[in-house]
Amino acid sequence: MPNNAPGDPHTMITTSVRGHLASQDFGPAYGWSRCPPVALFEAPINTEYKEDMQPLEGMLRDLSRRASALILWLDCDREGEAISDEVRAVCLKGNPRLGTQNRIYRAKFSTVLPGEIGRALRTLGRVNENFVQAVQLRSEHDLRVGAAFTRFQTLRLQKKFDGFQERGVVSYGPCQFPTLGFVVERWARIETFIPENFWALEMSIRLNADGSVANDSVQNQNGNVYSNQQGKSIHLNWKRVRLYDRPTTTAIYDACLEAGEAVVTSLTGRPKNKWRPIPLATVELQKRASKYLRIGSEELMHKAEELYNQGFISYPRTETEKFRPEFNHHTLIQSFEAVAGEFGDFASNLLSNNNFQNPRAGPNDDNAHPPITPAKAVSPDALIHPKILTMSLFLAEHLPTASSKFQMALPRPFFL
């Protein structure tokens, strides 16, 4: 720790908070019936601690009185920086010396792996005041705009329509209305869409192993004729794709039947690569869980957070699709070698014969959390709930698949 000689003993007390400690609202003088909505754009805003947060506030004050330094280990995004500022403000009320002696530090980390925690302790910084002010400005903007327009449209509609008072508040939010606009636009396109019939030609051929064209039907020894399913089927694409005139399409179809054969004028080909998957972010995890595991988004996040709370995976709400250079993949994969069965065998194979390479980097990074990845090895037998087991298997298999230099795959196809 800064200002301490290396090797000095420390007693570190670790605690946690539940998101934002403080909340902002208008005072009693600016109630619904006490001022016009436009007054809210310049009304003073009060910061207060809700009843369920008051025990946390008292705990932080008590602990800070005994502390000689404060290290803030909140998420390393803008929201985490704002929460750090709130924690700092509460602790300064309990121990002002933390501020006068400049003993408040900010830890920068993205995972809770031992190496990353040690690095964060060795490189402590300060709270980013610009991030704090950005979050505070956005919060104030959302409060003023949302409250003013909610009151305006609710009161106006109540006067304009009979019986509207029983319907409650008509909420307005800076994010809700643009989203609602997209929904209405899509609905309007569907409502005004006029379907139109079209026709298309489909053609395919089946080739034998020697490249010759196979017959469509084959007769067996008993004289029965059945469809030939042997050989490789090639589906040909019509350059015009579709026509909206049936007689014209029928005429072209008849011409093809009369010709009886076709001439290949050119043949082109190109190699096709199957890229390794990029590290998982929340949206991609939700897509794959819905498509392959048949688990809805709400249930998925609930089970993922259970795995996170047990220390089995990293934080499941992230936009990051790339690992930081200091992330130690080998140590994590080595821990799976002790798991009996296919996981252990796959991990051993991945770390031998130069099969491992760093996962591909995706385009997004929220600078707060790593991609969703296993945090430690766990035997599948230790997970009782079937969907938690499925989630754990999915995440455990994604990391080595993304890290494999060659096309190595575990048995379950939906993990690839």
Side-chain angles (χ1 to χ4, degrees), residues 95-249:
N95 186 355
R97 295 190 307 275
L98 295 174
T100 57
Q101 297 177 3
N102 203 23
R103 299 281 285 170
I104 299 178
Y105 305 99
R106 183 73 166 96
K108 299 290 185 179
F109 67 104
S110 62
T111 70
V112 293
L113 297 175
E116 177 112 359
I117 297 300
R119 182 197 59 79
L121 274 173
R122 294 189 299 269
T123 58
L124 295 174
R126 303 291 181 180
V127 174
N128 189 322
E129 304 296 343
N130 292 332
F131 284 0
V132 173
Q133 294 178 20
V135 174
Q136 291 174 346
L137 177 61
R138 190 215 66 221
S139 178
E140 179 179 344
H141 172 270
D142 291 349
L143 174 62
R144 293 188 185 278
V145 174
F149 277 93
T150 295
R151 294 187 189 186
F152 169 76
Q153 64 186 14
T154 301
L155 295 173
R156 184 174 179 83
L157 292 173
Q158 286 178 348
K159 296 177 182 178
K160 194 173 182 65
F161 299 101
D162 294 335
F164 199 86
Q165 292 184 355
E166 291 77 17
R167 301 199 174 203
V169 175
V170 183
S171 176
Y172 175 91
C175 295
Q176 295 170 354
F177 260 54
T179 304
L180 181 61
F182 294 136
V183 174
V184 172
E185 181 184 4
R186 178 60 178 165
W187 171 84
R189 291 176 61 187
I190 294 173
E191 288 296 309
T192 57
F193 177 76
I194 300 175
E196 188 176 359
N197 294 330
F198 63 87
W199 291 263
L201 299 180
E202 295 181 358
M203 184 170 67
S204 64
I205 59 174
R206 190 174 295 277
L207 301 180
N208 295 317
D210 59 359
S212 59
V213 179
N215 294 325
D216 291 337
S217 58
V218 179
Q219 186 174 14
N220 60 16
Q221 296 178 350
N222 298 326
N224 298 323
V225 178
Y226 61 94
S227 177
N228 183 15
Q229 300 298 323
Q230 302 297 321
K232 180 180 180 180
S233 179
I234 298 178
H235 297 274
L236 306 178
N237 296 324
W238 190 20
K239 187 176 182 179
R240 301 183 68 167
V241 183
R242 64 178 67 90
L243 287 178
Y244 293 91
D245 184 78
R246 183 172 182 176
T248 302
T249 310

Side-chain angles (χ1 to χ4, degrees), residues 332-340 343-345 347 374 376-378 396 399:
L332 181 58
I333 296 176
Q334 283 173 353
S335 65
F336 280 93
E337 290 186 291
V339 178
F343 281 109
D345 297 340
K376 63 181 179 181
V378 57
L399 174 64

Side-chain angles (χ1 to χ4, degrees), residues 22 50 112 151 231 282 369 402 414:
K50 293 183 178 180
V112 293
R151 294 187 189 186
T282 302
H369 306 285
F414 52 77

Side-chain angles (χ1 to χ4, degrees), residues 361-376:
N364 299 315
D365 188 354
D366 61 16
N367 295 310
H369 306 285
I372 306 172
T373 186
K376 63 181 179 181

